[in-house]
Amino acid sequence: QMSNGSSYNEFLLLSFADTRELQLLHFSLFLGIYLAALLSNSLIITTVVSNHHLHTPMYFFLLNLSIFDLGTISVTIPKSISNSIWNTRAISYLGCAAQVFLLLFLLAAEYFLLTVMAYDRFLAICRPLHYGILMDSRACVKMAAAACASAFLYAALHTGNTFSIPLCQGNVMEQFFCEIPQILKESCMDSYLREAGVIVVSACLIFGCFVFIVLSYVQIFTVVLRIPSVQDRYKVFSMCLPHLAVVSLFVSTVIFAYLRPDSISSPSLNMVVAVLYSVVPPVVNPLIYTMRNKELQDAL
């Protein structure tokens, strides 16, 4: 603890286990998950970059999604693995701030990118004659850059807002990585207004993008149902289902993590939910996108 008693040089993260055997089990399990995510996302990135047939807007956005997935799981898992193997719970104050910022940035960028991907599918199916003009390489780069810039601003504002509060209620986190709700619990002043502000802004962003995605797919399905050929209809649905599955997984886990009532909150449940939204998607997303994608499977 620092001399003024209002700040801390480090935080103590929640450990998965107390015994050495269970710590090593956690180390092995998380290392395996991390390597699986690293391998699967790296394969998609390498395949899209090296295969000229995949240099299309859809695969350009999938490439960026894999990069964000790699970043998301790399922000939380390596530190947790390191703490388990070295039998410690500590993370520095600056390390905690960096973890909060990077996780917010990557999650927000991924969600904004999923929204852009819904727009890409809408144009490809509902406006096929204008697709090549509206979604050229320059437009794709601009959309990806806008998603990153918006996510950077969002993460910077919320990280600065959170770490501007003096902390004096302790330095023990009920989570295996640093996240805003846990940090606000340690603030000296009443943090409910700031926490409510974070939740309201996040909810508005999530809801606004979700409405855009839903409206895009309402129009997509309206067009698809008019296609007379069952085979063509199935082919178009196969293009859309992976994106819908990834969006559903992302939105459902994040909403449950941050908008569930306090009455069903507990350290163990918080840990499970955090694993669901920060660890599971980076591992599952590559499988979802390659499972029904014959073109990507052949390229791999």
Side-chain angles (χ1 to χ4, degrees), residues 94-124:
L94 290 177
C96 186
Q99 201 173 58
V100 168
F101 171 78
L102 289 172
L103 191 61
L104 282 174
F105 166 70
L106 291 164
L107 288 175
E110 182 168 339
Y111 188 54
F112 295 152
L113 187 67
L114 289 172
T115 307
V116 171
M117 292 172 77
Y119 177 66
D120 171 67
R121 294 298 84 206
F122 164 76
L123 290 179

Side-chain angles (χ1 to χ4, degrees), residues 83-196:
N83 282 358
S84 290
I85 198 66
W86 295 111
N87 193 23
T88 181
R89 297 170 56 193
I91 182 172
S92 67
Y93 184 89
L94 290 177
C96 186
Q99 201 173 58
V100 168
F101 171 78
L102 289 172
L103 191 61
L104 282 174
F105 166 70
L106 291 164
L107 288 175
E110 182 168 339
Y111 188 54
F112 295 152
L113 187 67
L114 289 172
T115 307
V116 171
M117 292 172 77
Y119 177 66
D120 171 67
R121 294 298 84 206
F122 164 76
L123 290 179
I125 296 168
C126 301
R127 304 286 187 272
L129 298 178
H130 302 91
Y131 181 74
I133 299 173
L134 296 175
M135 292 298 292
D136 60 3
S137 58
R138 183 175 298 179
C140 291
V141 171
K142 285 182 179 179
M143 290 180 185
C148 291
S150 302
F152 182 89
L153 181 61
Y154 171 78
L157 288 174
H158 283 311
T159 304
N161 175 69
T162 301
F163 284 90
S164 65
I165 308 172
L167 305 174
C168 60
Q169 299 297 323
N171 65 337
V172 179
M173 298 277 182
E174 294 182 355
Q175 192 55 271
F176 70 96
F177 60 89
C178 290
E179 64 174 1
I180 287 178
Q182 296 298 325
I183 296 170
L184 291 177
K185 289 180 181 179
E186 314 298 342
S187 63
C188 298
M189 64 182 71
D190 188 2
S191 63
Y192 289 112
L193 290 178
R194 292 203 180 201
E195 189 169 5

Side-chain angles (χ1 to χ4, degrees), residues 17-124:
D18 296 326
T19 63
R20 189 58 181 162
E21 291 77 11
L22 290 177
Q23 286 175 346
L24 293 176
L25 178 63
H26 159 244
F27 164 78
S28 303
L29 180 62
F30 265 40
L31 180 62
I33 292 172
Y34 182 66
L35 291 177
L38 190 67
L39 175 63
S40 57
N41 285 286
S42 297
L43 274 175
I44 288 182
I45 293 170
T46 305
T47 303
V48 173
V49 169
S50 60
N51 195 310
H52 294 290
H53 296 293
L54 301 182
H55 290 179
T56 63
M58 182 175 74
Y59 292 109
F60 170 76
F61 294 131
L62 180 58
L63 166 71
N64 283 272
L65 185 69
S66 293
I67 293 173
F68 293 146
D69 279 337
L70 269 181
T72 300
I73 201 168
S74 297
V75 168
T76 57
I77 292 295
K79 181 60 181 175
S80 182
I81 291 175
S82 173
N83 282 358
S84 290
I85 198 66
W86 295 111
N87 193 23
T88 181
R89 297 170 56 193
I91 182 172
S92 67
Y93 184 89
L94 290 177
C96 186
Q99 201 173 58
V100 168
F101 171 78
L102 289 172
L103 191 61
L104 282 174
F105 166 70
L106 291 164
L107 288 175
E110 182 168 339
Y111 188 54
F112 295 152
L113 187 67
L114 289 172
T115 307
V116 171
M117 292 172 77
Y119 177 66
D120 171 67
R121 294 298 84 206
F122 164 76
L123 290 179

Side-chain angles (χ1 to χ4, degrees), residues 262-285:
D262 291 335
S263 58
I264 61 172
S265 179
S266 66
S268 58
L269 181 61
N270 291 341
M271 187 181 295
V272 171
V273 171
V275 169
L276 285 178
Y277 80 81
S278 66
V279 176
V280 172
V283 180
V284 174
N285 287 350

